[in-house]
Amino acid sequence: VRGKFFSTTGYKIGWVYGPEELLQPIKNVNSFVCFSVSHHSQYAIALMIEHCLSPESKYFEELKEKYFQLRDFLFSTLEEIGLHPVKPEGSFFIDCDISGVQLTEGQGTQKSITKQNLDMKDWNFCRWLTTDVGVAAIPCSAFYTGCRGPEQTIRFAFCKPIEQLEEAKRRLSKIKPLLKKYSKY
């Protein structure tokens, strides 16, 4: 509940409802993980939920507008640079098609610490963006197991302060000539 709604990603508090046979394994695990959620966090979330559900609160409308602005800013940045974004309607991520991008020999592999997936374009492109450009992106194939996944798609998160997105735009603008040179579009 807390994560993206209250701009505190990484912190998790939630509720589970369902038939007893499905809840019992969750109860068993919860016996050991509930200690990691601090009392003050639970109390703060309860107060926030009360506030958000009050008739005079405009929290969710304002949050929705804020995320639309952040999404639109990052989308136009990625489009302007040439990373061919897909505009989401209900996500905190923008996927980009990098099929028209050609990496040079070794690009994205030299600075790899784990040496993981060195033969996958999306991983190499994301590594290169992170290590050489200073902007993090996620290879979409990372979400697949048992198969290679879509190696021509990467994603960027826009649930960040606008100042971070502006800095990302500044850094990404440096790669625009490179992308235009290799883009098939």
Side-chain angles (χ1 to χ4, degrees), residues 52-67:
C52 291
L53 296 178
S54 68
E56 64 276 359
S57 174
K58 300 211 180 317
Y59 178 79
F60 289 113
E61 292 86 358
E62 291 168 359
L63 185 67
K64 178 180 172 183
E65 182 58 33
K66 173 187 160 188
Y67 279 128

Side-chain angles (χ1 to χ4, degrees), residues 4-5 7 58-74 89 91-92 158-160 162 165:
K4 307 276 190 321
F5 274 154
S7 301
K58 300 211 180 317
Y59 178 79
F60 289 113
E61 292 86 358
E62 291 168 359
L63 185 67
K64 178 180 172 183
E65 182 58 33
K66 173 187 160 188
Y67 279 128
F68 278 159
Q69 289 172 359
L70 295 172
R71 178 203 63 189
D72 293 346
F73 179 85
L74 184 57
E89 294 182 27
S91 172
F92 298 101
F158 60 83
C159 50
K160 310 283 181 199
I162 189 65
L165 296 180

Side-chain angles (χ1 to χ4, degrees), residues 137-152:
I138 303 164
C140 288
S141 66
F143 299 104
Y144 291 77
T145 57
C147 65
R148 288 184 64 95
E151 293 180 48
Q152 306 297 330

Side-chain angles (χ1 to χ4, degrees), residues 155-184:
R155 70 183 343 191
F156 293 89
F158 60 83
C159 50
K160 310 283 181 199
I162 189 65
E163 296 81 13
Q164 279 186 318
L165 296 180
E166 288 168 345
E167 179 61 18
K169 179 178 184 172
R170 187 187 70 74
R171 292 177 184 189
L172 287 169
S173 67
K174 296 175 186 176
I175 70 168
K176 185 177 181 177
L178 224 141
L179 295 177
K180 287 201 176 283
K181 180 178 173 184
Y182 294 115
S183 181
K184 70 176 184 182

Side-chain angles (χ1 to χ4, degrees), residues 75-91:
F75 180 84
S76 65
T77 296
L78 297 169
E79 193 171 50
E80 180 184 310
I81 287 164
L83 285 173
H84 310 289
V86 177
K87 192 177 240 180
E89 294 182 27
S91 172

Side-chain angles (χ1 to χ4, degrees), residues 66-132:
K66 173 187 160 188
Y67 279 128
F68 278 159
Q69 289 172 359
L70 295 172
R71 178 203 63 189
D72 293 346
F73 179 85
L74 184 57
F75 180 84
S76 65
T77 296
L78 297 169
E79 193 171 50
E80 180 184 310
I81 287 164
L83 285 173
H84 310 289
V86 177
K87 192 177 240 180
E89 294 182 27
S91 172
F92 298 101
F93 302 98
I94 296 177
D95 289 354
C96 295
D97 173 12
I98 60 165
S99 59
V101 174
Q102 278 188 311
L103 299 177
T104 59
E105 180 73 29
Q107 191 174 5
T109 62
Q110 297 102 337
K111 296 180 183 177
S112 176
I113 295 169
T114 64
K115 306 298 182 205
Q116 183 179 13
N117 299 313
L118 295 177
D119 63 331
M120 297 181 74
K121 179 180 180 179
D122 58 339
W123 283 73
N124 291 332
F125 188 71
C126 288
R127 266 192 292 268
W128 175 74
L129 278 178
T130 304
T131 60
D132 292 22

Side-chain angles (χ1 to χ4, degrees), residues 1-46:
V1 169
R2 178 174 162 180
K4 307 276 190 321
F5 274 154
F6 303 133
S7 301
T8 54
T9 56
Y11 295 94
K12 309 285 188 253
I13 295 178
W15 296 264
V16 178
Y17 299 94
E20 183 60 32
E21 65 271 10
L22 295 178
L23 293 179
Q24 191 55 52
I26 294 169
K27 288 179 187 177
N28 293 343
V29 169
N30 188 55
S31 298
F32 300 103
V33 297
C34 65
F35 302 109
S36 63
V37 180
S38 64
H39 174 75
H40 68 275
S41 294
Q42 293 177 18
Y43 184 72
I45 291 301

